[in-house]
Structure formats: structure tokens, C-alpha cells
Amino acid sequence: MAPRDAENRTPLLRVERLSGGYVPGKNVISGIDFQVAAGEMVGLIGLNGAGKSTVLKHVLGLMKPREGDIRMRGMRLAEHPETYRKTYAWVPESPLLYPELTVREHVRLAAMAYGVSEREAEAETRHLAALFQMESKLDALPAHLSKGMRQKIMLLSALVVRPPLYLIDEPFLGLDPLGIRALLDLLAERKREGAGILICSHILSAIERRCDCFVVLHHGRMMAAGNMADLRARTGMPDGSLDDVFVALVRHAGTEEAEAGRSDAGTNPAGGGTDPADGRKNPTGGGTIPAKGANGK
């Protein structure tokens, strides 16, 4: 058995050189490398189609990597499937609900899957329902709820358990301002308790102050990684917001891609540019912040 201090140094999630895709011979993501430690929130950000959800699908085991390695607490899914899956709770972008189950029954089902006692689950359900303004809806069916309330069912189901790691994909879609604030406050609380959090969001202003570091994806590759100080230094914007530095990074990448395209067109009569995510060309020119993981460890 490993010493406890060595165990504590093992990242909750480690993604190394991850490449994969949906169509044989064509990668959607290439060379993705980051980690999430206990008590750390990492923001996975990028434009639509950048590869964020594809990364999450690989982490969840819904897709098999073509290259690279994914470990939860040092364990691979194929080697320890039950322990691997119990390490995290997942909140998908679109609610996945059973139409015949009430809100309370959804939350109870999640609690049972993680071995949470009925008494503890009921107490936590009431607490979470109050925070998310769902007390009067606990016995309602999903069909009778708004989109935002259906999203809250997913949040309650994930938050009623206390796994080491939360994987959260676009959680703010459809949430009202009170719901967004409640979620951010709860995630900050769970982080202080030692949980790791990997969150994908287009609402950069909501996660800027909450995340310890960021992984910026563009066309399936890591364009940058690091904390706000790193990203500001990379873009030369010492006072820039996350929105500011993200836009600057994407525009710079677009300029480099356009220049590369003109260069290719000048040497190849057919135009013949390469797919920026297929592993043959890096549109960022290899200028990402050097780090083994998103937190620079």
C-alpha cells in the first residue's frame, strides 16, 4: 500500500496526451494533457466544437482513447471500473431524467448508487432543495417542470453525494440568477472540503474568480493552460478578464491559421490545408504555456 502522503499527492484526475475522435482515422482532440487535484477547480473552456465535451466523454469512459491515458486517483477505468466511476459525479449539459420518477426519487436513486444512507440523503435533499428554490417541487415529475428546474434535478442528484471529483458540463444553462449563485457557492464549499472540480462553461465571468486554473481548447488542441496570471502574461494583458484573454487567444490562433493557410496555398496548388486537430499541424505554433498539467504540476 502506498504511503498516505504519496496517495494525497496523486491527482484525482490525470489526463495525459489524450487523443480521440468519432470517425476512424480522424481525431477530434489531440495531445490533451492536464490534471485536477483535490481542493482544486479547473475550468475547461473553448469555442463551440473546441472538444470540451469530447474530452469529458473520454474521461467518463463513453469514448475510448486512441492515444494517451486517463486515470482517476491513479486508476484506469479498464482496471478498476467500479472504483473509477464512484470517484466522480457527473452533471451533463442536457438533463438526463426518468419521466416516471419525481425529483425526490431521482435524488434518492443517485444517493443509493453511491451508498448514501436514506436518512442522510433525505436531510441533504431538503437542504439542497431549499438552496435551489425546489422545496415545493420535490414530488413533481420532470414533465411538469421548466428547463431550468430539470437542470436543478441533475445538480441535486450530483450534490447529494460527496464524491472526490465533480465533472460538470455547462451547468448554468437555464438556471436563474439565484440558482447560479447557489451552485457557485456550493462548489466553492465542496472545494474547501477537498473535492476536485472540472467545469466546462461559456459563462467565463461566472468561473473566472472560482477556478484555480484553466485549460483553453481550440480545434481539439490545448491552446493555453494555467492560472489567470499565466493567461494574462501569455496575452500581454496584465489587467484582462478571462473573457478578454480568451478572445485574444482565439483571435491570435485564427490569425496564425489564416497565415498558415495562405502559406499552404502558395506551395500546394490544391490548397491542401491540414486539419488542425488531426495531429499533423499545431495551429497555435507550439506557444502554449509550458505545463505538465493545467495547474503546472
Side-chain angles (χ1 to χ4, degrees):
M1 180 179 295
R4 182 167 295 276
D5 60 343
E7 181 180 325
N8 290 340
R9 288 196 298 268
T10 302
L12 294 174
L13 171 64
R14 185 75 175 97
V15 176
E16 295 184 283
R17 304 180 302 278
L18 175 64
S19 297
Y22 303 89
V23 179
K26 183 178 175 63
N27 285 339
V28 174
I29 54 173
S30 296
I32 307 301
D33 193 289
F34 67 91
Q35 68 184 39
V36 182
E40 180 179 52
M41 186 184 297
V42 176
L44 187 63
I45 63 176
L47 299 175
N48 292 330
K52 304 183 297 299
S53 293
T54 304
V55 169
L56 281 179
K57 287 176 182 177
H58 280 85
V59 172
L60 292 165
L62 302 177
M63 297 179 69
K64 186 175 181 180
R66 290 176 182 158
E67 296 179 20
D69 192 30
I70 303 171
R71 296 180 185 233
M72 293 272 189
R73 285 182 157 177
M75 297 175 289
R76 296 186 179 94
L77 174 61
E79 298 167 351
H80 305 277
E82 185 175 351
T83 305
Y84 182 102
R85 291 192 173 100
K86 283 194 173 182
T87 299
Y88 66 82
W90 175 45
V91 179
E93 178 178 358
S94 300
L96 302 174
L97 302 171
Y98 296 98
E100 68 277 11
L101 296 185
T102 66
V103 174
R104 191 190 307 274
E105 289 167 341
H106 276 94
V107 180
R108 179 61 186 139
L109 183 63
M112 290 173 60
Y114 285 82
V116 180
S117 70
E118 185 173 357
R119 175 181 292 183
E120 183 181 351
E122 182 61 28
E124 189 67 10
T125 297
R126 290 197 300 268
H127 170 66
L128 292 171
L131 290 176
F132 285 98
Q133 312 294 311
M134 290 285 287
E135 293 168 291
S136 64
K137 304 297 182 181
L138 285 175
D139 296 312
L141 295 171
H144 302 151
L145 300 175
S146 68
K147 178 181 178 181
M149 289 182 176
R150 292 195 295 271
Q151 180 69 3
K152 288 178 180 180
I153 300 176
M154 301 305 298
L155 294 172
L156 267 60
S157 298
L159 293 165
V160 75
V161 299
R162 293 177 179 265
L165 178 68
Y166 292 92
L167 304 173
I168 307 177
D169 192 6
E170 296 293 348
F172 307 125
L173 297 179
L175 287 187
D176 54 68
L178 287 179
I180 293 173
R181 175 59 64 87
L183 175 59
L184 289 171
D185 289 346
L186 270 173
L187 292 180
E189 178 183 311
R190 297 293 167 90
K191 191 180 86 162
R192 287 193 298 270
E193 294 172 354
I197 301 161
L198 178 64
I199 184 169
C200 299
S201 179
H202 290 298
I203 314 300
L204 303 186
S205 59
I207 64 173
E208 177 178 343
R209 293 185 297 108
R210 307 282 182 161
C211 288
D212 300 285
C213 50
F214 303 90
V215 177
V216 187
L217 300 185
H218 189 62
H219 290 179
R221 288 186 174 274
M222 287 178 63
M223 181 165 55
N227 58 29
M228 279 301 300
D230 296 326
L231 299 184
R232 286 167 174 156
R234 168 73 186 276
T235 55
M237 306 175 73
D239 299 315
S241 67
L242 183 58
D243 280 288
D244 294 333
V245 298
F246 175 75
V247 170
L249 286 166
V250 171
R251 286 178 175 170
H252 178 69
T255 300
E256 289 191 336
E257 289 166 7
E259 291 175 351
R262 286 193 293 269
S263 176
D264 287 344
T267 56
N268 184 346
T274 57
D275 187 331
D278 69 1
R280 287 175 286 166
K281 178 179 288 185
N282 185 346
T284 67
T288 56
I289 297 170
K292 291 185 179 179
N295 54 12
K297 297 178 182 177

